[in-house]
Amino acid sequence: MSDPKKHMKTKFIFVTGGVVSSLGKGLASASIGALLESRGLTITVQKLDPYINVDPGTMSPFQHGEVYVTDDGAETDLDLGHYERFTNARLTKKNNFTTGQVYDSIITKERRGDYLGCTVQVVPHVTDEIKSKVLSISNGVDIAIIEIGGTVGDIESLPFLEAIRQLRYDLGKENVMYVHLTLLPYIATAHEIKTKPTQHSVNKLREIGIQPDILLCRSDRPVNADLKNKIALFCNVDRDAVISAEDVKSIYEVPLVFHREGLDEKIIKLLNIWTRAPKLDQWEEIARKINNPRHEITIGIVGKYVNLQDSYKSLHEALIHGGLANSSRVNLQYIDSEEIEKRGTALLKNIDGLLIPGGFGGRGVEGKISAIRYARENKMPFFGICLGMQVAIIELARDLCGLKHANSAEFDPETPDPVVDIMETQRGINSKGGTMRLGAYPCVLKKGSKAQSAYGTAEITERHRHRYEVNNRYREPLEKVGVEFSGLSPDEALVEIMEYRHHPWFVACQFHPEFKSRPLAPHPLFRGFVKAVLAHRAQAAKGSKAGKKTAARGAKKSGKTLSVNETDKA
Ligand code: GLN
């Protein structure tokens, strides 16, 4: 292992979780990052995942939620999305690693003979490998925040905890601190918030030699001073290190709540650093906007993973950001595409805009095609992302180019018209992941297109994660019926964005714009989409007012009044 003292400039904050999973360690780590940046410090954030998969790329979204893609094409845990949304840190392959990766490097070294006859063991070899991966991200930043996946007490995360225990010993007390996120459940029959699970969880950490410095206590109600004192005494932490992390309406309020509780102040004291006063006005502005929207819209997301909304985490956030840019609350209605196949597009009647997200496999594709046709014919704003764009191409080819059996080779390898197909160069590669276009690629925008006016620039880069592309053989017939390929790769070989001209806002892209949207910098396509949806809604409201007037006139004549629903139908 390299000499840990080399990394002395950087200080490390390790974030662990106790009692139960899903308490929001990722958000807590990201919020700590945001607070430290607001004081002028530079930071990076890393996630350590205890599972044995080498990366989450091969895991089902049903099990693992979204796979977040970085610029350099790493397929990572969705918590990295929180880190990038909350901070200026730009993350790479190094910012997420798993037990699988640790063992992968160790076994490669062992086979190569690097261990010179040693017995290879969890301590020190596995822990050394973990430590060097942690130290490798410091790279001159002031603070590295490292989130340990899993819950304290799990067998799997023990080597990680042992490694971070050793790092305090290696780097010195002033350079390493431990933050523990825990749950304070409210027991209704006792009318009391209970601290016992937290005491046990801290005990578990102490058993392995880690004494947490700060406790972030999640609860559904405020934690009063008496309770804080009790927790401090029983868990052996300072009184001002017990931070109440009460539930909030929006995740973007978390940095502000932590700040009010004195978290950033305590961190810099414990790490013995001097910083400027925090500047949090931008976060306050976001909280204000979220709590006081001027408009409200509902966007329908038609997909396959609708029961596990973590699968669309970044998308969800990007739509919220698009709303922030337009002073609008954005309600999301997830609709199962197979339900549309069974029950028809009536399921879409309460939405103001349609979004078809990314996905893999043919299940539910026909439902998505019907939904896109509905949006196209009703001039409802449509935004397609990755698979969403591929399905839009199929819909237009079938309905407007007369190619009745047009399909993607992914769903029907025998289709006579593979309007979406695998690239020639990728045929015959069998290892899953080997054929994926992953990470950032440049794209040149057509002047005068909706995409170009949304971005306001001529060239962009966006992140990809897919195998199939628009088949160039079909570009011409599609252009003839009104499709504009408004974003292409610089060599024009790959379609990156398409629009349908005869429609107020029908835009789809091959990449995943949601990965680059931030609350402080909403993504141009999401901003543009929400703006179009607001315009569509205003138009529809006008139409229905006019409709109501006509209906009322008719009703007067016939002597009966109509209910709102009946007016809608009329
Ligand atoms: N399944 C499609 C492909 O592999 C789309 C992937 C996606 O939406 N991320 O090209």
Side-chain angles (χ1 to χ4, degrees):
M1 215 190 83
S2 65
D3 176 14
K5 293 270 187 307
K6 239 179 38 202
H7 304 271
M8 284 307 273
K9 181 186 179 305
T10 303
K11 301 195 181 229
F12 293 82
I13 300 176
F14 293 102
V15 181
T16 56
V19 183
V20 291
S21 59
S22 304
L23 287 181
K25 257 186 309 186
L27 272 173
S29 309
S31 302
I32 291 174
L35 286 175
L36 296 175
E37 278 190 344
S38 82
R39 289 175 167 264
L41 297 168
T42 56
I43 63 122
T44 188
V45 198
Q46 186 185 43
K47 170 95 191 264
L48 277 48
D49 275 311
Y51 53 74
I52 298 175
N53 304 59
V54 169
D55 65 43
T58 53
M59 276 190 249
S60 157
F62 289 117
Q63 290 219 353
H64 188 264
E66 166 184 280
V67 173
Y68 186 78
V69 180
T70 55
D71 270 341
D72 68 345
E75 297 179 275
T76 70
D77 186 79
L78 57 78
D79 279 332
L80 273 77
H82 292 310
Y83 310 159
E84 284 205 339
R85 282 189 283 276
F86 277 72
T87 73
N88 294 312
R90 288 300 152 256
L91 309 177
T92 67
K93 287 192 165 76
K94 285 186 172 175
N95 293 77
N96 185 200
F97 70 87
T98 67
T99 296
Q101 272 171 41
V102 171
Y103 275 86
D104 199 33
S105 345
I106 291 176
I107 289 168
T108 308
K109 284 189 200 161
E110 189 273 332
R111 292 289 85 187
R112 229 175 20 217
D114 291 4
Y115 292 107
L116 307 172
C118 269
T119 309
V120 184
Q121 293 178 301
V122 172
V123 183
H125 301 100
V126 171
T127 45
D128 275 358
E129 190 66 33
I130 294 171
K131 287 199 286 182
S132 71
K133 282 187 176 345
V134 168
L135 294 173
S136 75
I137 57 150
S138 61
N139 210 8
V141 294
D142 298 324
I143 313 268
I145 300 155
I146 318 304
E147 176 191 346
I148 320 294
T151 309
V152 166
D154 293 348
I155 294 176
E156 299 174 314
S157 53
L158 275 177
F160 288 130
L161 297 175
E162 170 59 14
I164 67 168
R165 179 195 70 76
Q166 291 179 14
L167 278 169
R168 169 117 138 188
Y169 178 83
D170 294 339
L171 299 171
K173 280 196 180 126
E174 279 188 2
N175 297 315
V176 172
M177 65 179 292
Y178 304 108
V179 174
H180 189 56
L181 178 67
T182 171
L183 176 71
L184 298 179
Y186 176 78
I187 303 298
T189 45
H191 304 292
E192 247 182 357
I193 290 180
K194 291 294 184 186
T195 66
K196 193 70 77 190
T198 297
Q199 297 176 38
H200 281 299
S201 176
V202 170
N203 268 345
K204 207 79 207 144
L205 269 178
R206 284 210 300 247
E207 261 171 37
I208 45 183
I210 296 174
Q211 165 64 54
D213 300 293
I214 291 180
L215 296 176
L216 303 177
C217 303
R218 284 295 307 273
S219 68
D220 64 356
R221 61 204 66 218
V223 181
N224 64 29
D226 285 349
L227 214 55
K228 283 186 177 178
N229 289 344
K230 178 175 171 186
I231 296 168
L233 179 68
F234 284 29
C235 298
N236 197 28
V237 299
D238 297 339
R239 284 176 193 202
D240 60 353
V242 181
I243 305 288
S244 161
E246 203 189 327
D247 292 352
V248 279
K249 273 208 236 118
S250 153
I251 56 171
Y252 299 115
E253 292 177 52
V254 176
L256 297 170
V257 170
F258 281 176
H259 173 68
R260 276 181 229 128
E261 284 283 308
L263 176 62
D264 44 320
E265 193 64 41
K266 187 69 187 170
I267 290 177
I268 60 160
K269 252 196 230 150
L270 287 170
L271 290 177
N272 196 21
I273 31 185
W274 183 91
T275 74
R276 69 165 194 225
K279 265 199 210 148
L280 288 164
D281 36 335
Q282 280 180 309
W283 290 101
E284 269 150 19
E285 172 75 3
I286 288 178
R288 197 188 52 69
K289 273 192 180 162
I290 286 186
N291 292 320
N292 305 290
R294 279 195 281 139
H295 314 284
E296 184 163 353
I297 52 172
T298 300
I299 287 176
I301 299 180
V302 174
K304 187 164 83 166
Y305 313 112
V306 290
N307 295 324
L308 185 76
Q309 289 164 19
D310 262 3
S311 313
Y312 300 123
K313 191 82 212 151
S314 294
L315 189 69
H316 183 125
E317 296 309 322
L319 285 164
I320 304 291
H321 307 159
L324 276 172
N326 288 283
S327 309
S328 179
R329 169 169 295 149
V330 177
N331 303 316
L332 305 182
Q333 194 179 329
Y334 289 92
I335 302 161
D336 185 342
S337 44
E338 286 183 305
E339 284 301 306
I340 297 186
E341 287 171 8
K342 285 186 219 138
R343 293 163 52 198
T345 49
L347 287 175
L348 305 175
K349 78 173 192 303
N350 294 325
I351 64 171
D352 306 308
L354 171 70
L355 192 146
I356 309 266
F360 291 83
R363 192 151 61 79
V365 160
E366 296 302 321
K368 292 177 192 173
I369 293 178
S370 315
I372 294 175
R373 185 159 305 161
Y374 174 89
R376 182 166 59 81
E377 291 176 347
N378 290 288
K379 304 242 184 273
M380 175 194 278
F382 162 71
F383 190 9
I385 292 178
C386 205
L387 182 78
M389 177 178 105
Q390 299 173 351
V391 178
I393 293 284
I394 299 171
E395 193 278 318
L396 292 160
R398 285 190 191 172
D399 203 42
L400 300 182
C401 303
L403 305 170
K404 292 279 164 280
H405 302 288
N407 216 329
S408 163
E410 179 181 9
F411 320 134
D412 178 7
E414 305 302 322
T415 172
D417 289 301
V419 289
V420 174
D421 203 355
I422 207 139
M423 297 294 287
E424 230 13 85
T425 47
Q426 298 184 333
R427 281 186 209 285
I429 304 177
N430 285 326
S431 115
K432 280 236 184 306
T435 51
M436 284 255 226
R437 182 143 80 101
L438 282 169
Y441 283 83
C443 161
V444 178
L445 302 174
K446 276 252 168 68
K447 261 208 192 116
S449 63
K450 292 202 174 72
Q452 199 257 334
S453 88
Y455 279 98
T457 51
E459 196 170 328
I460 54 165
T461 73
E462 291 283 3
R463 299 180 192 171
H464 291 249
R465 179 172 184 255
H466 59 99
R467 214 164 263 128
Y468 293 83
E469 308 278 353
V470 171
N471 186 338
N472 291 334
R473 271 204 284 142
Y474 295 91
R475 274 205 219 171
E476 208 185 296
L478 283 162
E479 275 169 340
K480 277 204 181 116
V481 297
V483 172
E484 178 178 20
F485 293 105
S486 55
L488 297 174
S489 57
D491 64 359
E492 304 198 347
L494 300 168
V495 169
E496 297 281 12
I497 310 179
M498 59 85 52
E499 302 176 13
Y500 178 57
R501 290 176 201 273
H502 314 301
H503 190 282
W505 213 89
F506 189 105
V507 179
C509 51
Q510 187 55 78
F511 47 78
H512 288 274
E514 68 272 27
F515 293 145
K516 284 178 74 170
S517 188
R518 319 258 173 266
L520 301 178
H523 190 285
L525 291 180
F526 285 92
R527 209 172 50 208
F529 176 51
V530 170
K531 190 171 166 204
V533 175
L534 280 166
H536 174 73
R537 201 186 145 91
Q539 191 74 28
K542 246 196 227 162
S544 88
K545 245 190 214 162
K548 262 185 214 157
K549 266 189 200 154
T550 336
R553 249 181 267 132
K556 248 186 199 165
K557 256 191 212 162
S558 67
K560 64 173 191 174
T561 48
L562 295 177
S563 74
V564 175
N565 279 342
E566 283 167 323
T567 328
D568 279 348
K569 270 183 231 149

